[in-house]
Amino acid sequence: MSSLTYDLTLAGLSVGAAAALTGIGLVVTYRATGVLNFAHGAIAMVCAYVLRGCVVEWGLPLWLAAAVTLLVLAPGIGVLLERFVFRPLSVPGGDPARTLVASLGVFVLLVGGAALVWGQGARDDAPELVSADPWGQLAVVAVLAAGVGAVIRWTRFGRELRAVVDDRELAALGGIDADRVAAAGWAFGSFTAGLTGVLLAPYVRLDPYGLPLLVMEVVAVAVAARMRSLAVAVAVALGIGVAQSQLTRLHPSGWGEPLLQAVGANLFVVALLVAALVLPGIGARDALPRAATARVPIPPGAWIVAVVLFLLPLGFAGGDLHTSVQVPALGVILLSLVVVTGRGGQISLGQAAYAGLGALFTALLAAGRFPGLPRLPELAALAVAVVLVAPFGLLTGRPAIHRRGLALALATFAVGVAVSRFVFAQPYATHGLLLGRPAGFDGDRAYYVLELALLAAALLATHALRRGRLGRALAAMRDHEPGASAAGVRVPSLKVLAFVAGAALAALGGGMLGMGLRAFDPAAYDPVRSLLWFAAVVVLGADNTLGALAAAALLVGLDAGARGGVAAALIGILALLVGRFPEGPHEALRTATVRLRPVRPRRALTPLGTGVRARLRSGEGERGRGVVPTGATGTTGATGTTGATGMTGATGTTGTTGATGRTGATGATGATAQAGAGAGRSAGGGGDVTAPGPPTGPAAEAGPPVAGRPSTGADAQREARGPESGGRESGGRESGGGRPAATGPAPRRRRPSTPAPPPRSPGGSPTAPGPGRGSAERSEEGARRAPSPAAPSAPLLVARRLRARYGGFTALDGVDLDVRPGRITAVVGPNGAGKSTLFHCLAGTLRPARGQVLFDRRDITRLPAHARTRLGIARTFQQLAVFPSLTVAENVRVGAEHGRIVDPDAVERALRLLGLDGPARALPAAGLPTGALRRVELARAVAGGPAVLLLDEPAAGLDTTEVTALARVLKALAADGTALLVVEHDLDLVAGLADVVHVMTTGRIVVSGPPDRVLDALREQESA
């Protein structure tokens, strides 16, 4: 081995050793807590500054300063972060994405605090803890890796660590102190971060921005190790370090020389880009915190104040006006994050790259140095730059199709770092690239007016993405991505659109910022800026355009003082509170204001007033006897007055509704309309999902309606009030009227007395009622169960030899299934039998390893969920999949706009079918009770006109009354020719609902047949 090769290898091992320390710390922290510590580099920087201060400024011995820094300060930072920042975020049911935002907040806080305390200048006098000889650093890495590996593999703490990583809640139930394990993981991770910082500080520039970014660039070694293997992380780090050192021997010539030299000097960045974009994503369960409540509209007064504040700088002069010029430009850049993050719900840590490309392309076009294009005026150059940069949004939009949460954060961060290192650091971008302002707008005041006009255009474009069909689709994707896909929304295309639009807005803002500064400054678009901007937009309201403008003013205004870093420190503090206030500080302030508002005591009525109120209530009770509540349309039937349900009773009593005889959302006949109106009124009282007061008079004394007898007016009132006024939902709500629900066991559910489907034609479709028949005749026809045809219709959805595996576990083993039109097929079985896996294979959310899924004789095995929905296969979810930021009607409209049949009247029919056509239609989905949300989800699925409806445990969380209403609707849908597949644990519901039952065990269908025979055999087997 030559002397040069040997020396370069040693130098590479030294760099690789530092990278290996970073990888070890990141892997241990992730394995102990499930958090990728984005603040690892910032902790390293703080420890390096503290060690330098102790030795250089305070004169402490190096060994004492190192002991205090590495054994006290660094672990202490980790313990404090775990205790006060990340432990509150690890509660069961907490959103794991908030840990990502909190981690970025710690990074921003430490960087801003370091800039405030030590200034933004670089320091070159950091003490050397370990000699430059790489063997010492390698020895440190080897000892740490071996020690940590031995502890994890052979000690009790290691077993506890692995248990906490696999399932924190289960480990806690087993007696393991998960908080202690997490604190130890954070302490060790922070120790390795501090050790990395003090080892690197003597050989790199020590400043608040450069060192944290340098450390975070080597996160590739942890990603390559899948955040699990210490040995792989160390090997990858050493290998990349040696390779990067050896590449310095190359001296290419020609136009590609600068780029090749940049690649050789930034091989860890290349590895990060490859690991983030090519390797399978990690942390896919993490996503941005979804809106838990409906969006509160911004008061007009707030916009008036914002307009006034943005017009104030027109009265400034000198330096104040020059500083204010940056605010509208930065506001446009932050609006790009509102589009990507607030509207689309996607994480983007690389927006500074697109802003920098916009400024760079504008400068090159205005100077006539852009290849293949002539010199352009500044405004035209800005417009062309926006058009050129927009397609670059595919760099992050394409990875977003298959990545979410942490994996997407790493991918976008890698793109931003790569653009910074390989584009902005090139000579053509750093050697005096000036950028003028448009003609007529050279002065600061005139240019500020132009910026305000461009900002207004950007605001209009951002606002347009909230409204209409596109706005509802974006909101659905943000609130519940699988639910949006199941509703027919083309989620992949929508993600790409969000990133392309965000790249265009960022390029516009970047070009405006470059013109304001009169030059292209690569430091203004550093990757650290991306992290700061993202944190600022999220904590001030990601879906709040006014919050983005406030963040722009805050970032520019606070950093305009003598010392920078104030804005970063403030944003970091706010980001740390994201777990406690997920909707942003403005929403927290509004909630606190409402809570602190004094409650006016209710004045007691006089004796006269009390008597008047009693007489009024008594009169209402008398008038309520036998009268259909508001919103219901039931009328007197052939044998008397029906209930508010307007349904055919078991004894043949009839009634009609306003929907009778009209076609349902799927081409439903009168039977469907009657059943839908009945279900809606019984579950929600004419579409009103709120709980009315307790009944009075005879209605309060009558018992619940019993199957087999006609419903009286009192029964109608009780049924119209729905589950909120009586009974108890599975979530443990108290019944209405202020009376606590019974604490005893829930009553056994009765088989719903539902009308059977009308007679079918030989082809399997229901016979449409003739135009001359009355509604009472149609109801009586729906009450008669038609005999099964001798030749059943051909199956519409077919599964053949489906096989699916999860690792070494076989979830499906050669499953065959037919789902026929006009029939309800049920799949039952114990937990782990493969029901959910079969459901996902049919719905398109999981691709089987073998086998076929056919729809109407077409092979759809490889089609995604949204494509199957557009063909006519709709589904619901076991865990509710509604869009909380949209109203009930908007939720249903999403399904109607992206379903199989685009019908302008489909929304109204679906709302009427499920009893949501009253005041409930305008209510936000957030906060509605479980029964109402089930109806919203089913209405959304029905609105698209599906031919096949897949229902995953539709009765989960419903009480007896709601289950009865649900059964009525499902029976009527089947009567109208819809093919239904139900996966359900409630055997009583299955017995009264299904035409065919399949029993699954260990990934196979073991029994199939009519419900009575199959379920009776199943009960006998269980009793034996």
Side-chain angles (χ1 to χ4, degrees):
M1 181 182 295
S2 64
S3 175
L4 178 60
T5 302
Y6 178 76
D7 292 340
L8 291 176
T9 301
L10 291 181
L13 289 175
S14 179
V15 174
L21 287 175
T22 298
I24 292 173
L26 290 173
V27 168
V28 171
T29 303
Y30 187 83
R31 292 191 64 175
T33 64
V35 178
L36 177 59
N37 184 16
F38 270 89
H40 195 89
I43 296 173
M45 175 266 300
V46 169
C47 291
Y49 265 113
V50 170
L51 180 66
R52 176 196 169 275
C54 291
V55 175
V56 176
E57 298 179 6
W58 299 344
L60 295 179
L62 179 59
W63 66 268
L64 179 59
V68 172
T69 302
L70 298 179
L71 301 181
V72 178
L73 176 64
I77 292 176
V79 171
L80 290 176
L81 291 178
E82 189 280 330
R83 177 61 185 87
F84 296 104
V85 178
F86 295 99
R87 184 181 297 181
L89 299 175
S90 64
V91 296
D95 194 334
R98 293 175 187 166
T99 60
L100 173 63
V101 179
S103 179
L104 293 175
V106 175
F107 177 92
V108 171
L109 174 61
L110 294 180
V111 168
L116 282 174
V117 175
W118 294 293
Q120 302 186 45
R123 308 296 176 90
D124 56 1
D125 55 349
E128 187 176 290
L129 182 61
V130 179
S131 66
D133 184 1
W135 299 115
Q137 299 183 13
L138 285 176
V140 173
V141 172
V143 170
L144 279 178
V148 173
V151 168
I152 293 177
R153 190 176 185 86
W154 290 306
T155 67
R156 176 182 175 182
F157 178 79
R159 291 190 296 271
E160 293 179 348
L161 174 63
R162 294 195 301 272
V164 170
V165 171
D166 291 339
D167 194 320
R168 184 185 181 101
E169 297 179 36
L170 185 59
L173 291 176
I176 297 176
D177 189 348
D179 293 334
R180 179 179 63 86
V181 173
W186 272 102
F188 180 80
S190 297
F191 164 75
T192 59
L195 185 59
T196 303
V198 299
L199 290 179
L200 287 178
Y203 312 108
V204 299
R205 188 176 67 168
L206 177 57
D207 67 82
Y209 300 101
L211 183 58
L213 184 60
L214 180 64
V215 174
M216 286 309 300
E217 288 174 0
V218 301
V219 72
V221 302
V223 177
R226 311 299 303 139
M227 306 302 295
R228 296 192 65 85
S229 175
L230 296 176
V232 173
V234 172
V236 171
L238 296 178
I240 296 176
V242 172
Q244 178 173 288
S245 182
Q246 293 293 338
L247 286 177
T248 59
R249 303 174 64 176
L250 301 178
H251 300 284
S253 59
W255 63 270
E257 177 182 358
L259 181 60
L260 293 177
Q261 288 180 348
V263 170
N266 297 277
L267 201 58
F268 280 99
V269 177
V270 176
L272 175 61
L273 195 63
V274 173
L277 298 180
V278 177
L279 295 179
I282 60 173
R285 71 190 184 100
D286 301 336
L288 273 183
R290 295 192 297 268
T293 58
R295 178 181 173 271
V296 179
I298 301 175
W303 281 109
I304 296 175
V305 172
V307 170
V308 172
L309 292 178
F310 268 81
L311 291 177
L312 280 180
L314 293 176
F316 296 169
D320 293 337
L321 179 58
H322 185 70
T323 300
S324 301
V325 165
Q326 303 177 39
V327 176
L330 184 57
V332 175
I333 296 175
L334 298 187
L335 284 177
S336 72
L337 280 169
V338 171
V339 170
V340 177
T341 301
R343 299 286 193 269
Q346 307 302 304
I347 296 176
S348 180
L349 303 183
Q351 290 302 106
Y354 298 123
L357 286 175
L360 177 61
F361 286 6
T362 303
L364 292 176
L365 288 166
R369 295 168 55 182
F370 197 92
L373 291 177
R375 181 174 182 175
L376 298 175
E378 282 75 9
L379 271 181
L382 178 61
V384 173
V386 171
V387 174
L388 292 176
V389 173
F392 283 91
L394 295 174
L395 291 176
T396 47
R398 291 292 299 177
I401 294 177
H402 303 292
R403 286 170 169 79
R404 298 176 59 204
L406 178 56
L408 181 57
L410 287 173
T412 54
F413 178 71
V415 169
V417 174
V419 171
S420 175
R421 291 291 183 264
F422 302 137
V423 179
F424 298 162
Q426 299 304 308
Y428 63 80
T430 57
H431 288 69
L433 187 58
L434 301 179
L435 179 58
R437 294 177 179 176
F441 299 96
D442 189 66
D444 285 342
R445 186 169 286 102
Y447 182 69
Y448 188 79
V449 172
L450 174 63
E451 283 189 309
L452 290 180
L454 295 176
L455 175 62
L459 284 171
L460 291 176
T462 306
H463 182 69
L465 293 177
R466 183 190 297 278
R467 305 181 64 84
R469 185 173 187 265
L470 179 59
R472 286 187 289 271
L474 284 170
M477 181 179 70
R478 175 195 62 206
D479 289 352
H480 198 292
E481 186 176 313
S485 184
V489 176
R490 291 188 176 94
V491 170
S493 301
L494 209 58
K495 286 184 177 181
V496 172
L497 175 63
F499 275 100
V500 169
L505 280 176
L508 175 62
M512 294 165 56
L513 186 60
M515 289 181 182
L517 299 175
R518 300 181 183 272
F520 172 71
D521 182 12
Y525 312 100
D526 191 88
V528 175
R529 302 280 181 181
S530 291
L531 305 182
L532 175 61
W533 295 344
F534 177 82
V537 168
V538 169
V539 300
L540 292 179
D543 195 24
N544 189 338
T545 53
L546 195 59
L549 301 182
L554 187 70
L555 292 174
V556 174
L558 293 181
D559 282 343
R563 299 181 69 87
V566 178
L570 178 59
I571 294 299
I573 293 173
L574 294 177
L576 296 184
L577 300 177
V578 72
R580 191 173 298 273
F581 308 111
E583 303 301 326
H586 63 285
E587 181 65 18
L589 181 61
R590 189 186 68 85
T591 303
T593 303
V594 172
R595 290 180 178 178
L596 294 177
R597 185 178 300 166
V599 180
R600 296 179 180 178
R602 298 182 60 182
R603 296 180 179 178
L605 293 176
T606 63
L608 177 61
T610 303
V612 171
R613 182 176 62 179
R615 286 195 295 271
L616 288 175
R617 288 183 175 179
S618 176
E620 290 176 359
E622 292 294 333
R623 289 192 300 271
R625 298 179 188 176
V627 179
V628 179
T630 302
T633 54
T635 61
T636 304
T639 60
T641 303
T642 66
T645 60
M647 283 292 301
T648 303
T651 59
T653 56
T654 60
T656 61
T657 68
T660 302
R662 295 193 61 179
T663 303
T666 59
T669 62
T672 305
Q674 291 173 11
R681 303 315 185 248
S682 63
D688 189 358
V689 297
T690 58
T696 59
E701 300 174 1
V706 179
R709 70 170 173 86
S711 299
T712 64
D715 294 337
Q717 288 185 346
R718 182 180 298 102
E719 200 167 352
R721 289 187 176 93
E724 289 81 3
S725 61
R728 182 182 179 96
E729 292 185 2
S730 63
R733 281 187 204 87
E734 293 183 356
S735 57
R739 297 187 303 270
T743 58
R748 184 178 179 85
R749 289 176 178 156
R750 303 181 303 274
R751 292 189 183 183
S753 55
T754 55
R760 299 186 182 90
S761 63
S765 60
T767 304
R773 288 184 290 179
S775 52
E777 181 182 351
R778 288 195 297 271
S779 297
E780 291 174 333
E781 179 181 335
R784 295 192 297 268
R785 181 75 174 183
S788 300
S793 58
L796 191 58
L797 182 64
V798 177
R800 289 292 178 264
R801 300 178 300 278
L802 289 186
R803 185 179 178 87
R805 297 177 62 88
Y806 296 104
F809 175 73
T810 300
L812 293 180
D813 190 7
V815 173
D816 293 336
L817 182 70
D818 293 341
V819 181
R820 300 179 183 275
R823 297 174 69 85
I824 299 178
T825 304
V827 178
V828 299
N831 291 330
K835 304 185 302 297
S836 296
T837 302
L838 174 62
F839 192 92
H840 291 312
C841 289
L842 297 176
T845 51
L846 177 66
R847 183 177 297 177
R850 294 181 184 177
Q852 281 185 317
V853 179
L854 305 176
F855 174 70
D856 198 15
R857 299 184 179 87
R858 174 183 175 181
D859 189 351
I860 61 170
T861 309
R862 295 182 175 274
L863 288 184
H866 68 271
R868 300 190 190 195
T869 302
R870 290 172 178 267
L871 285 178
I873 303 176
R875 67 162 294 182
T876 63
F877 292 77
Q878 177 184 357
Q879 301 292 333
L880 285 166
V882 294
F883 314 129
S885 64
L886 299 179
T887 65
V888 169
E890 289 172 334
N891 268 269
V892 178
R893 191 172 298 279
V894 170
E897 291 171 338
H898 301 275
R900 178 174 66 101
I901 300 174
V902 180
D903 186 351
D905 299 327
V907 175
E908 296 303 323
R909 288 199 298 267
L911 291 172
R912 186 165 52 249
L913 177 68
L914 274 301
L916 298 168
D917 54 334
R921 62 180 300 135
L923 295 177
L928 293 182
T930 302
L933 292 178
R934 287 288 179 195
R935 285 189 285 148
V936 172
E937 186 181 24
L938 184 57
R940 187 187 69 215
V942 169
V948 177
L949 185 58
L950 309 177
L951 305 170
D952 191 1
E953 299 194 25
L958 304 184
D959 64 10
T960 305
T961 305
E962 292 168 329
V963 171
T964 303
L966 173 67
R968 290 190 180 114
V969 174
L970 298 185
K971 281 283 190 179
L973 288 173
D976 289 325
T978 306
L980 280 80
L981 176 68
V982 179
V983 175
E984 182 57 63
H985 285 286
D986 189 342
L987 298 184
D988 290 336
L989 174 63
V990 172
L993 185 67
D995 297 297
V996 179
V997 177
H998 302 279
V999 179
M1000 289 192 68
T1001 302
T1002 63
R1004 297 180 180 180
I1005 294 180
V1006 294
V1007 180
S1008 299
D1012 293 338
R1013 178 172 62 85
V1014 172
L1015 296 180
D1016 288 345
L1018 187 61
R1019 292 189 182 99
E1020 292 176 1
Q1021 182 180 1
E1022 291 177 352
S1023 61

